[in-house]
Amino acid sequence: MTTPDGRPTLIPPAFDSALAQPVHAAPAPIAPPATSQPPVGTPVRRAWGLYVWAGALLVVLLVVLVGYFLEAIGPVASLLGAILALLPLAGVLWALRIVDRWEPEPKGLVILALGWGAIAAVALALGVDLLLLLTFGRGDSQLALLLQSVVQAPIVEEIGKGLGVLLIFAAARRFFDGPVDGIVYGGLIGAGFAFTENIQYFASAFIEGGFAQASATFFVRGILSPFAHVMFTAVTGFALGLAARRGVRLGGALGPWLLGLMGAIALHALWNGSALLGDFFALYAALQVPLFVIFVVAIVLLRREEARLTRARLGEYAAVGWFTPEEVDMLATAAGRRAALAWARTLTGNRVPIMRTFIADATALAAARQRAISGRDPRASAEESALLQRTVAARAALFAL
């Protein structure tokens, strides 16, 4: 549709929500499946350049960190700390996998986010610690410890982790569709940071007080607060996700990033302060538990928003014959996906992987069309065609004899 002077009109959002993605451009019309093959599009591109240079940086920093841990706390304590730190990490990754099940992020970016938190952000924090130590000397007063815990650590650590989220936004923005993606990337970076930090805490506790003190430290950090760093950095990711949803570029995203960073720093300072300035367990019950509940509820609401978006975009394909209405229901609802996977198990051969591919590609297709509608990705239309081709091929494989 166009205005009287020939300009394209904006299409109103398919649903009214404060989190709904705005519409900036009229999408390309969807051609009906007149033939058995969908239009040919370019293959989905990956962020190989980001993986190469960021991976090289992380490898170098990893060597430095390993040397630091072996020198500072020794190989035995480091190994014990790593084993203990793996337990809360496994639980956190399982929870983040549930959040990310609707539209899984590329495995390369998942590994990069974990690596950035576990290596680069930790290296930055340790580097700042060393710089301050060389500049001002070691401060053992109560005030110095308070400033280090409530001021220095939240600012330095959240900046280090937040830079990782900003890096993914800048270099792989096509895979950064909205708040859920931001929460996942931020949560992964926070989980990686907590893993390495826990190695140091658990190992130091073991050196100072044996298994008894290590167990007490594990209870506080591994049982009571495994999601602390995840929540902090997820705030930064959420803010960048809102910016991504509105189609802003890197320059326009710096403001939201700083606001999210301030929120992460404030939560981090509140958490650290509760351990030093008051009754930790009382403040934990009064503040941290409600914050975690709010965090979970927010994620549930955001996932519902993604489900509505998937239904709306796939519904456009169903309207011209690429999907049936029943297939849209199957692909756009959690219950439909469970039923689809159960049905795939009844088919000849192991067709569950094919069904998973069909669901993943269809969800990515909906996201690509949304990016085309929002006008923030000039390659979205070509990717849309490629994903449609893959989706049709996956469905054909499901029904092949």
Side-chain angles (χ1 to χ4, degrees), residues 338-352 355-356:
R338 288 193 297 269
L341 291 171
W343 173 74
R345 294 186 184 96
T346 67
L347 300 178
T348 303
N350 183 17
R351 302 199 184 184
V352 171
M355 178 60 78
R356 293 188 188 278

Side-chain angles (χ1 to χ4, degrees), residues 187-213:
L188 287 167
I189 291 173
F193 187 94
F195 168 72
T196 304
E197 190 179 56
N198 279 339
I199 294 176
Q200 186 173 17
Y201 273 97
F202 297 156
S204 298
F206 174 73
I207 293 172
E208 294 172 5
F211 285 104
Q213 188 165 333

Side-chain angles (χ1 to χ4, degrees), residues 306-378:
E306 286 200 336
R308 288 196 294 269
L309 184 66
T310 302
R311 180 187 290 274
R313 299 288 80 88
L314 293 183
E316 296 171 7
Y317 279 97
V320 296
W322 285 107
F323 299 106
T324 66
E326 293 76 17
E327 285 175 328
V328 172
D329 288 338
M330 177 191 76
L331 295 166
T333 64
R337 291 179 173 190
R338 288 193 297 269
L341 291 171
W343 173 74
R345 294 186 184 96
T346 67
L347 300 178
T348 303
N350 183 17
R351 302 199 184 184
V352 171
I354 300 176
M355 178 60 78
R356 293 188 188 278
T357 299
F358 179 45
I359 292 172
D361 286 344
T363 306
L365 173 65
R369 181 155 185 83
Q370 181 59 36
R371 290 199 303 275
I373 291 174
S374 67
R376 65 181 180 83
D377 182 2

Side-chain angles (χ1 to χ4, degrees), residues 28-396:
I30 300 174
T35 65
S36 59
Q37 294 295 326
V40 177
T42 58
V44 180
R45 297 174 60 185
R46 303 301 179 190
W48 295 117
L50 173 64
Y51 298 150
V52 171
W53 74 259
L57 172 64
L58 292 179
V59 168
V60 173
L61 293 177
L62 177 61
V63 173
V64 175
L65 279 181
V66 170
Y68 165 79
F69 274 88
L70 293 178
E71 176 66 24
I73 56 182
V76 175
S78 296
L79 179 61
L80 175 64
I83 293 172
L84 291 176
L86 282 172
L87 299 177
L89 176 65
V92 169
L93 292 181
W94 175 77
L96 288 173
R97 180 69 181 90
I98 293 176
V99 175
D100 196 35
R101 283 177 64 185
W102 194 262
E103 185 196 350
E105 309 309 324
K107 290 183 175 62
L109 291 180
V110 170
I111 295 172
L112 175 62
L114 271 173
W116 184 273
I119 301 171
V122 172
L124 175 63
L126 290 175
V128 172
D129 283 342
L130 178 60
L131 179 62
L132 293 176
L133 177 63
L134 295 176
T135 303
F136 300 105
R138 185 177 301 279
D140 295 325
S141 66
Q142 188 66 27
L143 177 60
L145 293 175
L146 181 64
L147 290 175
Q148 183 180 24
S149 179
V150 181
V151 179
Q152 176 192 327
I155 292 176
V156 174
E157 293 175 7
E158 293 310 320
I159 288 177
K161 292 183 291 177
L163 285 173
V165 187
L166 187 64
L167 172 66
I168 294 174
F169 177 90
R173 187 158 158 251
R174 294 171 59 247
F175 304 104
F176 209 126
D177 289 320
V180 173
D181 289 349
I183 288 173
V184 170
Y185 290 133
L188 287 167
I189 291 173
F193 187 94
F195 168 72
T196 304
E197 190 179 56
N198 279 339
I199 294 176
Q200 186 173 17
Y201 273 97
F202 297 156
S204 298
F206 174 73
I207 293 172
E208 294 172 5
F211 285 104
Q213 188 165 333
S215 299
T217 304
F218 179 81
F219 176 73
V220 173
R221 296 185 62 86
I223 303 299
L224 291 183
S225 57
F227 291 95
H229 277 289
V230 173
M231 290 174 58
F232 305 153
T233 316
V235 173
T236 305
F238 173 79
L240 266 182
L242 288 179
R245 176 157 286 187
R246 283 158 176 76
V248 302
R249 298 189 179 278
L250 179 60
L254 292 178
W257 178 74
L258 287 173
L259 288 176
L261 192 61
M262 291 171 61
I265 291 171
L267 284 179
H268 196 156
L270 176 64
W271 173 262
N272 286 2
S274 67
L276 295 176
L277 302 177
D279 185 335
F280 170 78
F281 292 102
L283 288 172
Y284 177 84
L287 292 176
Q288 303 302 334
V289 172
L291 284 174
F292 181 72
V293 171
I294 293 172
F295 180 73
V296 172
V297 170
I299 289 176
V300 170
L301 294 177
L302 287 169
R303 285 194 63 189
R304 288 182 179 177
E305 184 72 18
E306 286 200 336
R308 288 196 294 269
L309 184 66
T310 302
R311 180 187 290 274
R313 299 288 80 88
L314 293 183
E316 296 171 7
Y317 279 97
V320 296
W322 285 107
F323 299 106
T324 66
E326 293 76 17
E327 285 175 328
V328 172
D329 288 338
M330 177 191 76
L331 295 166
T333 64
R337 291 179 173 190
R338 288 193 297 269
L341 291 171
W343 173 74
R345 294 186 184 96
T346 67
L347 300 178
T348 303
N350 183 17
R351 302 199 184 184
V352 171
I354 300 176
M355 178 60 78
R356 293 188 188 278
T357 299
F358 179 45
I359 292 172
D361 286 344
T363 306
L365 173 65
R369 181 155 185 83
Q370 181 59 36
R371 290 199 303 275
I373 291 174
S374 67
R376 65 181 180 83
D377 182 2
R379 295 190 297 270
S381 294
E383 183 179 343
E384 188 182 350
S385 297
L387 285 166
L388 179 59
Q389 194 174 26
R390 284 167 44 173
T391 301
V392 171
R395 182 171 56 184

